[in-house]
Amino acid sequence: MSRISGNPSLTTEHVYGLTLRVARWRADAGGTPLLFLNGIGADITAAAPLLAQLHGREVWTLDMPGVGGSPDALLPYGAPTMAAVVMEIADRLGHVQIDLAGFSWGGAMAQQIAIQFPGRIRRLVLMATTPAVTAPGIGWAAMLDDDMLASGLKLPTATPLGLTYQTMAMAGWTSTAMLPHLKGLPVLILMGERDGVVPACHGQAIADLIDGAVLEVVPGSHLFPFTHATQVAERISAFLDPMPMERSGAGQAAA
C-alpha cells in the first residue's frame, strides 16, 4: 500500500533529459484536471493530504529534480525550461487544458506556465507566492514556519543539489511585466495571515497586476495549504467549480 495520502498512481516520466516522479489522483475522473506545483524542496508526500481532498476531478503533481522520488538533474535548469517540461507531461497525459495551482516556489512556476502557455490554463490558484523572487533562502526559511513546527511536518525532502538548482531556477525571476496579460483568466490568490516568509503584500502585488484577480488572506502562516488542508481544499474546489449564482457575477446578485 502506498504511504501517500489517497493512494495516487505513481509513474516516472523522462522529459528533456530529466527523470521526474508523477502522481495522479482520480486519473479517470472527468472535467478539467488540476495540476499542483509544490514549494521548494517539498515532495508529493507533503502535498498529498491537500490534493487527496480535491474530489471530483483528476489532480496531479510531480517531484522536481532532486526532490522526493526524482533524481538530481545533471545540469541547472531555468523557469521557462521547467515550464515546458511540465506542459510536455500534461500533453502526454492527454490534458489539452488544465487548471493550475501553485504554492510558494510552485506559485511562481505556475505564473510562468500561465504566461508561457496562454490558452492552456482554464483557472489559476496562487498560494503564498510572489511576483518577484528576491530571497534565495526562502525554502529554508519555511522550515521555521510556526504552523509547520507545531504540526511536525517534515520539509524539505530535497538533495542539496536539488535545492540549489530549484533556487537557481527562480533567482531574480519576476512576472511583473507579464501578469497584466493574464487579464480574463480567473485567478484566486490565497495568502496566509501570519506568513513571515511571503507576507500577504506579495499577493496584493499580484492582484494589482491581474485585472479581476481575487485575493483572500486566510488563517495560518506560510504552510497553510498543508496545515489547513481541509479548508484550503474546499476553497480551491469552490473556485474551480463555482456555483451558477457565482458564475453570473455581481449583475444577478444586484437584481
Side-chain angles (χ1 to χ4, degrees):
M1 177 181 293
S2 171
R3 64 184 179 88
I4 301 175
S5 296
N7 295 316
S9 62
L10 300 175
T11 58
T12 299
E13 297 290 339
H14 303 279
V15 185
Y16 304 155
L18 298 173
T19 300
L20 302 170
R21 181 174 69 161
V22 176
R24 302 172 72 187
W25 288 260
R26 297 170 293 279
D28 296 328
T32 305
L34 172 67
L35 164 61
F36 174 81
L37 298 173
N38 217 333
I40 191 168
D43 70 351
I44 288 168
T45 303
L50 169 66
L51 305 187
Q53 296 186 65
L54 292 165
H55 302 292
R57 67 179 64 248
E58 175 181 343
V59 181
W60 64 286
T61 188
L62 66 155
D63 285 339
M64 290 294 162
V67 178
S70 296
D72 286 325
L74 296 177
L75 297 170
Y77 53 87
T81 296
M82 186 52 65
V85 167
V86 169
M87 293 309 288
E88 170 63 23
I89 295 175
D91 289 340
R92 294 181 184 184
L93 298 180
H95 302 331
V96 175
Q97 190 174 56
I98 61 174
D99 291 328
L100 181 59
F103 161 68
S104 194
W105 185 96
M109 184 59 67
Q111 294 171 64
Q112 177 68 37
I113 291 173
I115 291 165
Q116 192 170 331
F117 294 91
R120 296 288 302 272
I121 310 304
R122 187 186 73 109
R123 286 180 172 250
L124 177 64
V125 181
L126 303 174
M127 296 178 283
T129 194
T130 178
V133 178
T134 57
I138 195 170
W140 294 108
M143 295 180 69
L144 303 177
D145 179 273
D146 292 341
D147 286 346
M148 187 200 74
L149 293 173
S151 69
L153 188 63
K154 304 295 184 182
L155 289 177
T157 59
T159 66
L161 186 61
L163 280 175
T164 298
Y165 282 177
Q166 272 198 280
T167 300
M168 290 172 60
M170 285 297 182
W173 173 92
T174 180
S175 61
T176 54
M178 295 301 295
L179 286 179
H181 294 280
L182 298 183
K183 178 181 180 180
L185 175 67
V187 179
L188 173 65
I189 305 161
L190 301 177
M191 305 296 292
E193 63 181 355
R194 296 184 290 103
D195 192 339
V197 180
V198 185
C201 61
H202 290 256
Q204 184 64 62
I206 296 173
D208 289 343
L209 290 166
I210 305 175
D211 187 30
V214 175
L215 170 65
E216 297 179 9
V217 179
V218 300
S221 47
H222 188 61
L223 295 178
F224 69 85
F226 305 148
T227 58
H228 295 68
T230 299
Q231 298 93 322
V232 172
E234 290 174 353
R235 183 63 188 99
I236 291 174
S237 295
F239 172 72
L240 296 181
D241 296 308
M243 299 297 290
M245 182 66 73
E246 185 178 343
R247 291 194 193 101
S248 67
Q252 254 195 12

